[in-house]
Amino acid sequence: MNGDVDKSGQRIRRMFGQIAGRYDLLNRTLSAGTDVYWRNRAVQQVPLQPGSRLLDVCTGTGDLALAFWQQGKGQVDVVGTDFTHEMLALACTKGSRAVQKATRSSGTESATRPLTFLEADTQHLPFEDSSFDAVTVAFGLRNCSDTSLALREMARVCKPGGQVMVLEFSMPQQKVLGGLYRFYFLRVLPRVGQLLARNPESAYSYLPESVGQFPSGKALAQQMEQCGLEQVRWTPLTLGIATIYHGICSGSPS
Ligand SMILES: C[S@@+](CC[C@H](N)C(=O)[O-])C[C@H]1O[C@@H](n2cnc3c(N)ncnc32)[C@H](O)[C@@H]1O
C-alpha cells in the first residue's frame, strides 16, 4: 500500500490486465487526444544521439517507447518493460508492425536498431548498473507501490550523466479552469471511464485517487534528487494537468 490506495503488484496487474484491450482507445477518448501531445513533448525533452540506448519502464502498450524509437529514426535502441502481460502483448504487436514498416522503407533490417519489449517489475529491473543512456516513464511511476524504489532502480540502470524523464499527471492550480478540470477528473471521468472500461477493478476511480495522493512539482523533484538524480527540472503541461520531470543521473543516490 502507498497512502490509502491499494497499489499491490497483484491489484495493479489485475486492473491493467482487465483494461488492456481498451487502454489506447480510452486514453485517446478521455484525454481528447492530449495524451499523444504529452508523449511527444516528453520525447522532445530527452535528446538522444544515434546509437543511444533508452529504457521505457511501465511502458504499458508501448506508446512512449514507440515514439522514442520513431523519433530516433531507427538509430536508437529502445527497450520497453512492464509487469502486466496483457499490456505488453499489445506493445509487442505494435512494435513488430513499426519495425516491419521501417524495414520495408529502409530496404534493410540491419539499418534499424532494435525495439524490444520485456516483462519486468520496475522495482527490480533485470539490467546491470549503467546499462542505458536514458530511462523514462509515462503515467507509470504513480502506480508503483514504492516510488523511491522505482526511481532508484531507474537511476541505477542509467549511466552517470544519462537522463531520467518522468511524465505524470498532476492537478492544475489555476482557479477557474483548474476547478472545471477537477470537476471533470473527479466526477465525470470515473463514471464515463468505468462505463467504457467495464472492469471490476474500477480503474477510473483509481486514477483520480492515485493522482490525488501522488507528489507533484517540487515534492516529486526533491524525491527524484534523493534517489540519485540531479538538476531536476519540471515543466507543467496543459494548465498543469500533466508534468514532465527531467533529471541527470548522478551515479550515486544521496
Ligand atoms: C497508466 S499505464 C501507462 C502505460 C504507458 N506508459 C503509457 O504512457 O500509456 C501504467 C502501466 O504501469 C505498469 N506498472 C505499474 N506498476 C508497475 C511495476 N511495478 N512494474 C512494471 N510495470 C508496472 C502497469 O502494468 C501499466 O501498464
Side-chain angles (χ1 to χ4, degrees):
M1 289 267 223
N2 194 345
D4 293 336
V5 183
D6 178 4
K7 294 186 181 180
S8 63
Q10 205 185 19
R11 193 259 169 126
I12 297 292
R13 261 197 296 263
R14 202 169 48 227
M15 188 171 74
F16 284 103
Q18 286 167 356
I19 61 167
R22 271 161 284 185
Y23 179 79
D24 287 348
L25 179 68
L26 281 160
N27 260 354
R28 295 305 105 81
T29 312
L30 296 172
S31 76
T34 315
D35 66 307
V36 177
Y37 162 73
W38 290 333
R39 286 192 200 83
N40 288 338
R41 286 289 304 269
V43 169
Q44 287 163 12
Q45 300 264 332
V46 185
L48 294 169
Q49 300 295 323
S52 300
R53 290 194 81 204
L54 176 134
L55 171 67
D56 180 47
V57 299
C58 300
T59 197
T61 58
D63 279 355
L64 186 63
L66 212 54
F68 273 110
W69 189 80
Q70 280 162 341
Q71 167 76 14
K73 303 204 174 13
Q75 298 304 300
V76 173
D77 184 346
V78 175
V79 180
T81 56
D82 199 285
F83 70 2
T84 303
H85 181 79
E86 294 86 340
M87 297 286 273
L88 210 56
L90 293 163
C92 288
T93 307
K94 280 154 69 173
S96 330
R97 272 198 214 118
V99 171
Q100 275 169 18
K101 197 171 160 204
T103 307
R104 266 200 309 275
S105 53
S106 74
T108 157
E109 198 168 337
S110 59
T112 309
R113 306 272 304 189
L115 168 62
T116 320
F117 291 102
L118 295 176
E119 218 161 300
D121 187 335
T122 303
Q123 297 172 181
H124 307 282
L125 289 168
F127 304 107
E128 308 234 318
D129 297 359
S130 310
S131 299
F132 295 92
D133 299 287
V135 183
T136 63
V137 60
F139 310 113
L141 186 61
R142 175 179 39 89
N143 300 299
C144 292
S145 55
D146 186 335
T147 311
S148 290
L149 182 56
L151 283 170
R152 280 177 200 277
E153 273 296 88
M154 290 171 70
R156 178 184 68 75
V157 301
C158 187
K159 292 178 186 167
Q163 309 173 72
V164 169
M165 191 284 304
V166 176
L167 169 61
E168 193 47 88
F169 283 114
S170 42
M171 290 308 276
Q173 301 303 316
Q174 214 264 353
K175 252 195 172 164
V176 179
L177 289 173
L180 282 174
Y181 175 74
R182 272 191 293 280
F183 178 75
Y184 168 74
F185 194 62
L186 301 173
R187 306 260 172 240
V188 180
L189 182 139
R191 290 188 172 87
V192 178
Q194 187 56 34
L195 210 67
L196 298 174
R198 295 191 301 269
N199 75 311
E201 279 294 327
S202 305
Y204 289 88
S205 308
Y206 165 85
L207 175 60
E209 282 166 17
S210 60
V211 173
Q213 291 197 354
F214 198 68
S216 61
K218 193 173 178 184
L220 185 56
Q222 281 174 340
Q223 194 167 357
M224 289 172 70
E225 284 175 350
Q226 284 156 9
C227 294
L229 302 168
E230 53 193 19
Q231 300 169 47
V232 178
R233 53 183 164 76
W234 66 96
T235 313
L237 304 174
T238 323
L239 301 170
I241 292 172
T243 302
I244 293 175
Y245 303 82
H246 182 279
I248 301 296
C249 183
S250 65
S252 54
S254 55

